[in-house]
Amino acid sequence: MRRLPPVAITAMVFVVGFALCTVQFPNFASTRVAANLLTDNAFLGIVAAGMTFVIISGGIDLSVGSVIGFTTVFVALAIERLGLPPLVAFAAILLLCAAFGAAMGAVIHVFDMPPFIVTLAGMFLARGASFLMSTESTPISAPLYSTVSDFAVRPPGGGRLTAIALIMLAVVAAGAVLLHFTRFGANVYALGGSRTTTALMGIPVGSMTVRIYMLSSVLAGLAGIVFSFYTAAGYSLSAVGVELDSIAAVVIGGTLLTGGQGSVVGTLLGVLIQGLIQTYINFDGTLSSWWTKIVTGILLFAFIALQQAMLGIARRAGPRKAGVHKS
Amino acid sequence: MNAISDPGPALLEVRGLSKSFGTLRALQEVDFTLRAGEIHALLGENGAGKSTLIKAVTGVFPRDAGIVRLGGVEVAPRSAKAAVDAGIATVYQEVNLLLNLSVAQNLYLGRQPTRFGLVREAEMRRCAAALLAEFDLHIDVAEPLGNYSVAVQHITAIARAVDQSAQVLILDEPTASLDRHEVEILFAVMRKLAQRGIGVIFVTHFLDQVYEICDRITVLRNGRLIGERTTAELPRIELIRMMLGRELAETTSERTAAHARQVGEICARFEDYGKAGYVAPFNLALRRGEVVGLAGLLGSGRTETARLVFGAERADSGSATVDGKPVRLQSPRDAVAHGFGYCPEERKTEGIIADLTVRENIVLALQAKRGLAKPLSRSEQEGIAMRFIGLLDIRPPEPERPIGLLSGGNQQKVLLARWLATAPRLLVLDEPTRGIDVGAHAEIIRLIRDLCDDGLALLVISSELDEIVTYSDRVVVLRDRAHVDELEGDAIDISNILAAIAVAGSAGAEAGQP
Ligand SMILES: Nc1ncnc2c1ncn2[C@@H]1O[C@H](COP(=O)(O)OP(=O)(O)OP(=O)(O)O)[C@@H](O)[C@H]1O
Ligand SMILES: [Mg+2]
């Protein structure tokens, strides 16, 4: 009598949603729509994968949206103003992001500060820094950018699986392996269960915290690079509020906001559900795109209520499985 | 010191260790010596400093002064991990496990078998199952640990530490939630480790267990070393005197004249009350001023009965009446509204709110009962807190101290106080004396009697049969999740209870004889 895991519910919501859209718009079920769904949400999928680790470990990272914005501006200026080769610019920004994440993780651990506050500070810092560099949108015209945007795997049916969609899928796959099949992943869950207990069990909690926020910031940087491919520009106001979208995706994906449970694949589904709503609105043509936010909000409520209910049930049933002694 | 038994070479030496928390001097120049291959009891009252000593040695707390030598080499671990790496494995009093992870992950966290950086899940599960089999525990190790009972969780923690103990194994009250059979298995494992030359430090408040398994005893009192003796040369009376610094006021293992008191009318009655697959339907009537004991093995349905009575679990058959009126107990709220109180077994995980002060923890249930519209004034709260701090001898007697900073036994006393403060008409106590020292144990039993003289009805679950025999007016015996027998008056004694538990070749036979 096993209960349905939350991620199965998310998958069902996605499938039902997709089916409903198909009923209303017969040409919805095509590889084109599916591929666009992945491309349009590639950057969100990447940050949300990182956010999944942070939330499972019992933390939160509010800085990711600003880090994406910062990254796009940094990359655009490095390539266009300084004339750096794009790959060098990418390496530089990823290192910078790693240092930024590590610093946030270290502050959280060493000063025992709430992640909410520390990453909120990080959010203002990164956004402020990107305004300092440039306040206007800088188009990027490096040849690499057009090569990448021309590249696509073409499944039958007119879809274009773009490079950035592939990067996102690769990140999600790697994230899932890291989370479920490595010691690092087990430690992430452990931290979300209880920090003190994890420390007493001999896990280096400090270095884990540093590495988790580092991972989140690096993935935010990667998402920023992907975002710059997507828009072919760097703009300090890009990706405002993305931290909240990605938190929503993580929660809709079945990860407990209090930590200790969740999955990267669920998060991908959470991202795709948000994308699905947006696509529906585009197909409809008359609805305001703010409906995405409203429906996402309703879904969030529903999922959090569901999790609370399931936790409540689990608590009522209690840890009542006695061990079986066979003597 | 005394050459009665061959004192092996010193394995772990603690010299002059001191530790203060602010102005509170938890440890003052404590010496402690553990020899290879011995099982060494570390004893003392609640708050004596046993857990603090363990944490200071294993690097969880930094120490203020003193040195620790392991195998002659000075060590100063700065974290639990460093201690494990040095060869000291510990089960801390607040059992350190993660309920959201699988049993196997809990056993191998941080040291999972890997190949190419990936955890070998199947291999890990196989090892986990084999490790638990040594403890006679056969469960699905892929399930989350939180799905299992406290006893299973405790064994898992012990198994992890045993598996990691290279030189020293420290167990801080490991037997507090184990039943007799599990304790025997644990002792067998401890003996095996000792034979291999590992030194075992064992903290407990069960003096029987000390005399059963320990070679040597070190006693602490108020953060100071009182002495180290071999078990064989230390009579129990003398040991208690060392622990308390005084004689135990009253022997508690006799049924006393208190039972002559008048038992009042029935205040709560349960008929054919039960829940399929949980507890078989039972009849239970509780009278004012009466103590009813629930006896049986772990998993026999004692706690389950208590949860049904308190509405924490919904009955699917039978009826309940309070003062002759039929009532529905759908939730703990209903039960509290009818004047029931319940002090659960899993106090450590379910009961305490670590950041609140002792005072706040004590008035919590009372305030909830009165409702938010009728707040208790600060001075009322203080009065209540001070009364129970005095009554239960909660130490240190500071109502404004966060409860998380109290010793384990004192935290339990606070939780007991929380329910006593609500002045319930029916109070259910699940293992009220677990983790509480001999001195306080006697106090609590006395308190239980006084409460009954005031007309309270009590339902008490305890694994310690002599304790049940001491204070119960009636004893209900459970086996295999059913009420199988009821003893009254002079029929209440240990051998009758054991006989009822072990009746006719059932699974209960493993109770063994005392
Ligand atoms: N983290 C802490 N901060 C402040 N005081 C503490 C802390 N931990 C323990 N104490 C205090 O130190 C003293 C010793 O506590 P300790 O936990 O070592 O007792 P114990 O001997 O293990 O008792 P028990 O048998 O109840 O577990 C107590 O007075 C306790 O209140
Ligand atoms: Mg202790």
Side-chain angles (χ1 to χ4, degrees), chain B residues 21 24 26 45-52 61 93 173 205 396 401 405-410:
Chain B
F21 298 107
L24 184 114
E45 288 180 283
N46 295 134
K50 305 178 295 291
S51 302
T52 305
F61 293 153
Q93 186 171 9
E173 298 196 33
H205 291 292
R401 183 174 265 263
L405 303 186
L406 261 57
S407 79
N410 282 304

Side-chain angles (χ1 to χ4, degrees), chain A residues 181 183 201 321 325-326, chain B residues 100 112 119 136 147 149 160:
Chain A
F181 300 108
R183 285 186 183 176
M201 285 178 85
K321 247 183 229 177
H325 282 296
K326 294 172 192 146
Chain B
N100 60 327
Q112 299 96 329
V119 173
D136 202 14
N147 288 359
S149 67
R160 177 183 163 92

Side-chain angles (χ1 to χ4, degrees), chain A residues 2 177 180-183 186-187 189-190 192-194 197-204 260-261 315-327, chain B residues 60 80-81 92 96-98 100-101 105-106 109-112 114 117-119 136 138 143 146-149 152 160 181-182 307 313-314 330 346 510:
Chain A
R2 286 185 77 110
V177 170
H180 298 291
F181 300 108
T182 65
R183 285 186 183 176
N187 292 350
Y189 283 100
S194 157
T197 301
T198 307
L200 286 178
M201 285 178 85
I203 304 301
Q261 266 173 42
R315 212 170 283 146
R316 276 189 85 82
R320 285 295 138 230
K321 247 183 229 177
V324 192
H325 282 296
K326 294 172 192 146
S327 33
Chain B
V60 176
K81 179 172 168 43
Y92 296 96
N96 32 313
L97 286 171
L98 297 156
N100 60 327
L101 297 188
Q105 288 282 16
N106 269 291
L109 191 71
R111 56 196 190 102
Q112 299 96 329
T114 57
L118 300 185
V119 173
D136 202 14
H138 305 271
E143 287 244 357
N147 288 359
Y148 292 102
S149 67
V152 170
R160 177 183 163 92
H181 176 63
E182 291 158 334
R307 287 174 64 90
E313 203 69 43
R314 272 181 219 172
Q330 298 275 16
E346 292 148 55
E510 70 189 26

Side-chain angles (χ1 to χ4, degrees), chain B residues 350-403:
Chain B
E350 295 190 347
I352 74 158
I353 302 175
D355 294 334
L356 294 189
T357 64
V358 169
R359 168 180 56 81
E360 288 164 329
N361 268 288
I362 290 179
V363 299
L364 202 65
L366 179 58
Q367 183 62 67
K369 188 179 170 188
R370 288 167 55 117
L372 287 176
K374 283 185 269 175
L376 286 161
S377 75
R378 179 70 184 240
S379 64
E380 276 174 303
Q381 294 187 11
E382 270 160 14
I384 293 164
M386 283 318 292
R387 189 161 77 87
F388 283 100
I389 286 173
L391 214 51
L392 296 174
D393 190 21
I394 294 168
R395 278 184 264 174
E398 296 164 15
E400 298 310 318
R401 183 174 265 263
I403 190 174

